[in-house]
Amino acid sequence: MKLMVLNGPNLNLLGSREPQVYGHTTLDQIMQDLIAEAAPFDCLIDPYQSNHEGALIDKVQQAKQEEYSGIIINPGGLTHTSVALRDAISGVDLPTVEVHLSNIYAREEFRHHSYIAPVAIGQIAGFGAAGYSLAFRALSEYLANRTSRV
Ligand code: CA2
């Protein structure tokens, strides 16, 4: 099984700025930890970060074309703005888990709305870097249950 793990704008800055909000761990470290966690389950994690909306949309489409089992995505600020990214996720019809390091509902009002949430199978917010591991476990369980029912 392979999972696409997408990270949106500015998440390449993790670990270097605003540690009080986003923690001290770099995105590279978070992705390496996830790769190591998934490997014993024969699950390949394919991480990708971009500051560009269209590049992330291309990756969502690629996930479908290359038969990935699902997507974990932290869309960053695009969460609150991007109809196009939402349409891409909706269009590929792959189970998608939305992750946020911070609790977006405890922050500014404009972060309370997600365009992505209605097309995701679920959302994890507020647990820092552990959110990616929680998303992996949730998506694995979802896929295992779905397969066993077919
Ligand atoms: O909490 C999250 O994971 C967010 O997706 C992070 C986004 C924010 O716009 C969302 O509302 C919630 C921002 C990512 C920016 O990351 C930075 C990391 C370090 C320094 C500056 C920005």
Side-chain angles (χ1 to χ4, degrees):
M1 166 168 94
K2 49 185 183 172
L3 301 177
M4 186 78 85
V5 182
L6 301 177
N7 286 285
N10 297 308
L11 286 160
N12 55 313
L13 300 175
L14 279 183
S16 64
R17 301 204 217 126
E18 298 191 54
Q20 70 285 3
V21 182
Y22 298 118
H24 289 277
T25 316
T26 63
L27 186 61
D28 191 52
Q29 189 60 60
I30 296 170
M31 294 300 110
Q32 290 310 316
D33 290 349
L34 195 60
I35 288 166
E37 180 178 350
F41 300 97
D42 279 331
C43 178
L44 182 109
I45 297 290
D46 194 359
Y48 179 77
Q49 187 276 331
S50 179
N51 293 328
H52 304 280
E53 187 175 18
L56 292 161
I57 292 168
D58 286 345
K59 284 301 236 186
V60 169
Q61 294 183 8
Q62 184 191 332
K64 182 68 174 181
Q65 285 153 8
E66 298 183 4
E67 298 184 346
Y68 282 70
S69 299
I71 298 171
I72 294 170
I73 185 166
N74 183 344
L78 294 173
T79 307
H80 320 296
T81 63
S82 182
V83 173
L85 185 57
R86 172 206 178 112
D87 287 346
I89 292 167
S90 174
V92 296
D93 196 28
L94 287 176
T96 298
V97 179
E98 178 182 351
V99 177
H100 296 287
L101 296 153
S102 62
N103 179 356
I104 55 175
Y105 303 100
R107 300 183 65 192
E108 305 95 321
E109 188 89 29
F110 67 85
R111 295 187 203 275
H112 296 184
H113 176 260
S114 167
Y115 278 100
I116 308 304
V119 296
I121 59 168
Q123 184 193 65
I124 292 164
F127 297 99
Y132 290 86
S133 169
L134 294 168
F136 167 68
R137 287 187 252 169
L139 185 52
S140 299
E141 187 143 325
Y142 175 90
L143 289 167
N145 290 338
R146 194 175 68 168
T147 308
S148 66
R149 274 201 215 103
V150 175

